[in-house]
Amino acid sequence: MKLALYRQVESAISTIGELFCNGKHFCWTLERPGLDHVSDFHRIPAGSYAIVLYDSPHFGRQMPLLKVPGHNYIEIHFGNVPSASEGCILVGKQKGLNTILLTREAFAELFPLIQAAVEQSSEGCSIDVFDPPLSNHDAVNEAVTAT
């Protein structure tokens, strides 16, 4: 199974994105901001990552774990606000300003799909993570420094 996370909007405290499962919209995501912002934790770099299951000591149950080089314990889980993540990807059915809602419901629908892909398919499960498009401000800054 292939997941794709398209990060859409970044603020100083969060990144909102859209998660697709096998090419179809599945839910919204919330992560910490990128490295350009001051934060105790940051989102993971854009890239492609395998997903495995592991027994999370924090949640006391099996959770999806992304295999991100240089990072440990990057999970997909529920949570409404950026402070609920230390670099993990939070999932929810509704999005707001620096928040997502109905996160337990989204996770309850997503986890069995990931679990089945990991445990029962030869292809397993992976996620492609894409950074948000450049804002007009960033594009102007890049054009100025390029000249």
Side-chain angles (χ1 to χ4, degrees):
M1 180 173 76
K2 190 65 132 175
L3 299 175
L5 168 55
Y6 293 91
R7 294 168 172 156
Q8 296 178 341
V9 179
E10 180 180 21
S11 75
I13 61 172
S14 75
T15 304
I16 296 284
E18 187 173 6
L19 185 69
F20 290 80
C21 179
N22 292 327
K24 294 183 180 180
H25 169 84
F26 190 85
C27 65
W28 302 103
T29 64
L30 181 68
E31 300 174 89
R32 291 291 187 116
L35 294 173
D36 292 343
H37 298 281
V38 176
S39 180
D40 293 341
F41 299 97
H42 293 93
R43 66 182 189 231
I44 60 172
S48 296
Y49 306 106
I51 299 175
V52 298
L53 300 178
Y54 92 115
D55 293 322
S56 170
H58 178 76
F59 289 102
R61 58 164 288 175
Q62 268 197 336
M63 298 298 283
L65 179 74
L66 280 66
K67 304 300 280 180
V68 181
H71 297 270
N72 295 317
Y73 308 109
I74 301 298
E75 300 175 355
I76 296 174
H77 62 84
F78 43 86
N80 299 95
V81 294
S83 61
S85 168
E86 295 181 359
C88 299
I89 299 169
L90 308 179
V91 293
K93 291 181 161 268
Q94 296 176 357
K95 63 179 177 170
L97 181 62
N98 297 310
T99 187
I100 54 174
L101 306 168
L102 302 172
T103 65
R104 290 183 186 272
E105 294 85 347
F107 182 80
E109 292 176 16
L110 181 61
F111 182 77
L113 300 176
I114 293 173
Q115 183 179 34
V118 169
E119 295 178 349
Q120 300 170 8
S121 79
S122 59
E123 67 191 34
C125 187
S126 63
I127 186 169
D128 292 330
V129 180
F130 301 93
D131 277 339
L134 292 175
S135 70
N136 290 336
H137 180 265
D138 291 337
V140 169
N141 285 341
E142 282 194 356
V144 168
T145 48
T147 56

